[in-house]
mmCIF file of all heavy atoms in Angstrom:
data_model
loop_
_atom_site.group_PDB
_atom_site.id
_atom_site.type_symbol
_atom_site.label_atom_id
_atom_site.label_comp_id
_atom_site.label_asym_id
_atom_site.label_seq_id
_atom_site.Cartn_x
_atom_site.Cartn_y
_atom_site.Cartn_z
ATOM 1 N N GLY A 1 0.700 -1.218 -0.040
ATOM 2 C CA GLY A 1 0.025 0.055 -0.027
ATOM 3 C C GLY A 1 0.764 1.249 0.006
ATOM 4 O O GLY A 1 2.049 1.198 0.200
ATOM 5 N N VAL A 2 0.069 2.387 -0.236
ATOM 6 C CA VAL A 2 0.726 3.741 -0.301
ATOM 7 C C VAL A 2 -0.223 4.568 0.516
ATOM 8 O O VAL A 2 -1.411 4.551 0.459
ATOM 9 C CB VAL A 2 0.890 4.330 -1.675
ATOM 10 C CG1 VAL A 2 1.237 5.716 -1.631
ATOM 11 C CG2 VAL A 2 1.860 3.498 -2.478
ATOM 12 N N ILE A 3 0.337 5.517 1.381
ATOM 13 C CA ILE A 3 -0.303 6.465 2.150
ATOM 14 C C ILE A 3 -0.122 7.795 1.578
ATOM 15 O O ILE A 3 1.083 8.211 1.345
ATOM 16 C CB ILE A 3 0.003 6.413 3.586
ATOM 17 C CG1 ILE A 3 -0.625 5.192 4.204
ATOM 18 C CG2 ILE A 3 -0.700 7.694 4.282
ATOM 19 C CD1 ILE A 3 -0.398 5.159 5.751
ATOM 20 N N VAL A 4 -1.171 8.552 1.085
ATOM 21 C CA VAL A 4 -0.971 9.989 0.625
ATOM 22 C C VAL A 4 -1.670 10.920 1.658
ATOM 23 O O VAL A 4 -2.811 10.632 2.032
ATOM 24 C CB VAL A 4 -1.730 10.041 -0.790
ATOM 25 C CG1 VAL A 4 -1.854 11.597 -1.245
ATOM 26 C CG2 VAL A 4 -0.950 9.286 -1.865
ATOM 27 N N ALA A 5 -1.010 11.936 2.000
ATOM 28 C CA ALA A 5 -1.499 12.973 2.912
ATOM 29 C C ALA A 5 -1.747 14.244 2.136
ATOM 30 O O ALA A 5 -0.849 14.862 1.553
ATOM 31 C CB ALA A 5 -0.427 13.312 3.982
ATOM 32 N N GLY A 6 -2.971 14.601 2.003
ATOM 33 C CA GLY A 6 -3.399 15.750 1.181
ATOM 34 C C GLY A 6 -3.499 16.941 2.280
ATOM 35 O O GLY A 6 -2.706 17.080 3.110
ATOM 36 N N ARG A 7 -4.645 17.761 2.120
ATOM 37 C CA ARG A 7 -4.802 18.832 2.904
ATOM 38 C C ARG A 7 -5.307 18.503 4.371
ATOM 39 O O ARG A 7 -6.352 17.841 4.498
ATOM 40 C CB ARG A 7 -5.857 19.758 2.344
ATOM 41 C CG ARG A 7 -6.163 21.041 3.022
ATOM 42 C CD ARG A 7 -7.149 21.872 2.296
ATOM 43 N NE ARG A 7 -8.373 21.287 2.184
ATOM 44 C CZ ARG A 7 -9.354 21.723 1.491
ATOM 45 N NH1 ARG A 7 -9.184 22.798 0.772
ATOM 46 N NH2 ARG A 7 -10.565 20.956 1.287
ATOM 47 N N ILE A 8 -4.465 18.643 5.371
ATOM 48 C CA ILE A 8 -4.632 18.282 6.793
ATOM 49 C C ILE A 8 -4.532 19.482 7.641
ATOM 50 O O ILE A 8 -3.429 20.155 7.537
ATOM 51 C CB ILE A 8 -3.827 17.085 7.249
ATOM 52 C CG1 ILE A 8 -4.071 15.880 6.354
ATOM 53 C CG2 ILE A 8 -4.196 16.819 8.694
ATOM 54 C CD1 ILE A 8 -3.128 14.745 6.706
ATOM 55 N N GLN A 9 -5.509 20.005 8.209
ATOM 56 C CA GLN A 9 -5.516 21.365 8.955
ATOM 57 C C GLN A 9 -4.835 21.160 10.369
ATOM 58 O O GLN A 9 -4.224 22.007 10.812
ATOM 59 C CB GLN A 9 -6.757 21.866 9.005
ATOM 60 C CG GLN A 9 -7.380 22.324 7.668
ATOM 61 C CD GLN A 9 -8.763 23.118 7.790
ATOM 62 O OE1 GLN A 9 -9.309 23.169 8.892
ATOM 63 N NE2 GLN A 9 -9.200 23.608 6.633
ATOM 64 N N ASP A 10 -5.165 19.867 11.002
ATOM 65 C CA ASP A 10 -4.716 19.798 12.343
ATOM 66 C C ASP A 10 -3.191 19.084 12.268
ATOM 67 O O ASP A 10 -3.172 17.904 11.805
ATOM 68 C CB ASP A 10 -5.587 18.937 13.065
ATOM 69 C CG ASP A 10 -5.416 18.704 14.632
ATOM 70 O OD1 ASP A 10 -4.240 19.044 14.940
ATOM 71 O OD2 ASP A 10 -6.165 18.124 15.293
ATOM 72 N N PRO A 11 -2.266 19.707 12.822
ATOM 73 C CA PRO A 11 -0.917 19.222 12.894
ATOM 74 C C PRO A 11 -0.831 17.758 13.578
ATOM 75 O O PRO A 11 -0.161 16.856 13.214
ATOM 76 C CB PRO A 11 -0.090 20.138 13.587
ATOM 77 C CG PRO A 11 -0.764 21.486 13.405
ATOM 78 C CD PRO A 11 -2.227 21.096 13.377
ATOM 79 N N ALA A 12 -1.641 17.713 14.733
ATOM 80 C CA ALA A 12 -1.630 16.393 15.416
ATOM 81 C C ALA A 12 -2.266 15.225 14.489
ATOM 82 O O ALA A 12 -1.736 14.025 14.588
ATOM 83 C CB ALA A 12 -2.594 16.510 16.647
ATOM 84 N N GLN A 13 -3.201 15.478 13.693
ATOM 85 C CA GLN A 13 -3.727 14.494 12.710
ATOM 86 C C GLN A 13 -2.655 14.081 11.714
ATOM 87 O O GLN A 13 -2.569 13.069 11.397
ATOM 88 C CB GLN A 13 -4.964 14.996 12.060
ATOM 89 C CG GLN A 13 -6.204 15.136 13.043
ATOM 90 C CD GLN A 13 -7.430 15.585 12.348
ATOM 91 O OE1 GLN A 13 -7.469 15.965 11.126
ATOM 92 N NE2 GLN A 13 -8.574 15.678 13.159
ATOM 93 N N GLY A 14 -1.859 15.193 11.205
ATOM 94 C CA GLY A 14 -0.880 14.901 10.267
ATOM 95 C C GLY A 14 0.210 13.959 10.862
ATOM 96 O O GLY A 14 0.735 12.992 10.230
ATOM 97 N N LYS A 15 0.596 14.207 12.207
ATOM 98 C CA LYS A 15 1.554 13.261 12.926
ATOM 99 C C LYS A 15 1.110 11.907 12.973
ATOM 100 O O LYS A 15 1.729 10.970 12.872
ATOM 101 C CB LYS A 15 1.904 13.870 14.135
ATOM 102 C CG LYS A 15 2.705 15.213 14.168
ATOM 103 C CD LYS A 15 3.027 15.724 15.422
ATOM 104 C CE LYS A 15 3.841 17.054 15.409
ATOM 105 N NZ LYS A 15 4.204 17.680 16.809
ATOM 106 N N ALA A 16 -0.224 11.815 13.245
ATOM 107 C CA ALA A 16 -0.963 10.441 13.317
ATOM 108 C C ALA A 16 -0.815 9.620 12.045
ATOM 109 O O ALA A 16 -0.611 8.526 11.919
ATOM 110 C CB ALA A 16 -2.384 10.590 13.776
ATOM 111 N N VAL A 17 -0.999 10.454 10.869
ATOM 112 C CA VAL A 17 -0.836 9.820 9.566
ATOM 113 C C VAL A 17 0.454 9.336 9.366
ATOM 114 O O VAL A 17 0.803 8.225 8.876
ATOM 115 C CB VAL A 17 -1.321 10.778 8.533
ATOM 116 C CG1 VAL A 17 -0.995 10.299 7.168
ATOM 117 C CG2 VAL A 17 -2.832 11.125 8.623
ATOM 118 N N ALA A 18 1.469 10.187 9.749
ATOM 119 C CA ALA A 18 2.874 9.670 9.565
ATOM 120 C C ALA A 18 3.217 8.518 10.375
ATOM 121 O O ALA A 18 4.002 7.505 9.858
ATOM 122 C CB ALA A 18 3.813 10.925 9.821
ATOM 123 N N ALA A 19 2.697 8.526 11.530
ATOM 124 C CA ALA A 19 2.959 7.319 12.459
ATOM 125 C C ALA A 19 2.339 6.111 11.974
ATOM 126 O O ALA A 19 2.937 5.032 12.056
ATOM 127 C CB ALA A 19 2.394 7.621 13.834
ATOM 128 N N LEU A 20 1.067 6.236 11.313
ATOM 129 C CA LEU A 20 0.463 5.039 10.700
ATOM 130 C C LEU A 20 1.280 4.567 9.522
ATOM 131 O O LEU A 20 1.381 3.287 9.229
ATOM 132 C CB LEU A 20 -0.857 5.457 10.154
ATOM 133 C CG LEU A 20 -1.731 4.316 9.454
ATOM 134 C CD1 LEU A 20 -2.027 3.256 10.403
ATOM 135 C CD2 LEU A 20 -3.067 4.916 8.874
ATOM 136 N N ALA A 21 1.766 5.393 8.741
ATOM 137 C CA ALA A 21 2.672 5.044 7.699
ATOM 138 C C ALA A 21 3.964 4.207 8.053
ATOM 139 O O ALA A 21 4.338 3.209 7.442
ATOM 140 C CB ALA A 21 3.031 6.239 6.769
ATOM 141 N N GLU A 22 4.507 4.713 9.205
ATOM 142 C CA GLU A 22 5.686 4.089 9.685
ATOM 143 C C GLU A 22 5.344 2.701 10.239
ATOM 144 O O GLU A 22 6.091 1.712 9.995
ATOM 145 C CB GLU A 22 6.365 5.031 10.657
ATOM 146 C CG GLU A 22 7.635 4.366 11.332
ATOM 147 C CD GLU A 22 8.398 5.419 12.264
ATOM 148 O OE1 GLU A 22 7.671 6.381 12.611
ATOM 149 O OE2 GLU A 22 9.531 5.051 12.565
ATOM 150 N N ARG A 23 4.173 2.743 10.893
ATOM 151 C CA ARG A 23 3.716 1.274 11.522
ATOM 152 C C ARG A 23 3.393 0.269 10.448
ATOM 153 O O ARG A 23 3.691 -0.809 10.495
ATOM 154 C CB ARG A 23 2.523 1.640 12.397
ATOM 155 C CG ARG A 23 2.133 0.232 13.065
ATOM 156 C CD ARG A 23 1.130 0.541 14.172
ATOM 157 N NE ARG A 23 -0.023 1.396 13.807
ATOM 158 C CZ ARG A 23 -1.143 0.814 13.436
ATOM 159 N NH1 ARG A 23 -1.214 -0.560 13.421
ATOM 160 N NH2 ARG A 23 -2.151 1.522 13.281
ATOM 161 N N LEU A 24 2.787 0.721 9.405
ATOM 162 C CA LEU A 24 2.423 -0.190 8.305
ATOM 163 C C LEU A 24 3.551 -0.438 7.375
ATOM 164 O O LEU A 24 3.641 -1.505 6.655
ATOM 165 C CB LEU A 24 1.220 0.415 7.369
ATOM 166 C CG LEU A 24 0.017 0.592 8.172
ATOM 167 C CD1 LEU A 24 -1.037 1.238 7.158
ATOM 168 C CD2 LEU A 24 -0.540 -0.824 8.645
ATOM 169 N N GLY A 25 4.622 0.412 7.384
ATOM 170 C CA GLY A 25 5.747 0.146 6.470
ATOM 171 C C GLY A 25 5.510 0.593 5.079
ATOM 172 O O GLY A 25 6.003 0.161 4.059
ATOM 173 N N TRP A 26 4.415 1.492 4.819
ATOM 174 C CA TRP A 26 3.975 1.957 3.525
ATOM 175 C C TRP A 26 4.699 3.241 3.211
ATOM 176 O O TRP A 26 4.841 4.121 4.161
ATOM 177 C CB TRP A 26 2.499 2.063 3.485
ATOM 178 C CG TRP A 26 1.691 0.850 3.455
ATOM 179 C CD1 TRP A 26 2.196 -0.478 3.657
ATOM 180 C CD2 TRP A 26 0.214 0.652 3.401
ATOM 181 N NE1 TRP A 26 1.148 -1.333 3.677
ATOM 182 C CE2 TRP A 26 -0.067 -0.662 3.539
ATOM 183 C CE3 TRP A 26 -0.814 1.621 3.327
ATOM 184 C CZ2 TRP A 26 -1.368 -1.128 3.575
ATOM 185 C CZ3 TRP A 26 -2.092 1.219 3.321
ATOM 186 C CH2 TRP A 26 -2.402 -0.185 3.306
ATOM 187 N N PRO A 27 4.989 3.504 1.938
ATOM 188 C CA PRO A 27 5.575 4.850 1.575
ATOM 189 C C PRO A 27 4.496 5.930 1.808
ATOM 190 O O PRO A 27 3.283 5.736 1.740
ATOM 191 C CB PRO A 27 5.745 4.741 0.032
ATOM 192 C CG PRO A 27 5.856 3.214 -0.228
ATOM 193 C CD PRO A 27 4.858 2.466 0.740
ATOM 194 N N LEU A 28 5.089 7.098 2.415
ATOM 195 C CA LEU A 28 4.225 8.300 2.532
ATOM 196 C C LEU A 28 4.551 9.315 1.652
ATOM 197 O O LEU A 28 5.644 9.794 1.394
ATOM 198 C CB LEU A 28 4.558 8.715 3.996
ATOM 199 C CG LEU A 28 3.799 10.064 4.483
ATOM 200 C CD1 LEU A 28 2.348 9.873 4.441
ATOM 201 C CD2 LEU A 28 4.360 10.546 5.839
ATOM 202 N N LEU A 29 3.429 9.706 0.955
ATOM 203 C CA LEU A 29 3.708 10.780 0.028
ATOM 204 C C LEU A 29 2.786 12.112 0.477
ATOM 205 O O LEU A 29 1.572 11.944 0.553
ATOM 206 C CB LEU A 29 3.130 10.476 -1.382
ATOM 207 C CG LEU A 29 3.553 9.069 -1.857
ATOM 208 C CD1 LEU A 29 2.920 8.856 -3.283
ATOM 209 C CD2 LEU A 29 5.075 9.077 -1.987
ATOM 210 N N ALA A 30 3.539 13.009 1.079
ATOM 211 C CA ALA A 30 2.845 14.044 1.827
ATOM 212 C C ALA A 30 2.831 15.373 1.069
ATOM 213 O O ALA A 30 3.830 15.895 0.619
ATOM 214 C CB ALA A 30 3.429 14.334 3.097
#
């Protein structure tokens, strides 16, 4: 899989997305 981070207003939610990408081992395209 791949995780794409688009428009995210809350920095805490953005960090949660990055943490999920690291946990799954999927590439993160932010």
Side-chain angles (χ1 to χ4, degrees):
V2 170
I3 291 183
V4 169
R7 183 178 58 191
I8 300 175
Q9 295 184 355
D10 186 349
Q13 292 182 356
K15 292 180 180 178
V17 171
L20 177 62
E22 186 173 11
R23 180 162 61 87
L24 294 176
W26 290 2
L28 172 64
L29 313 179

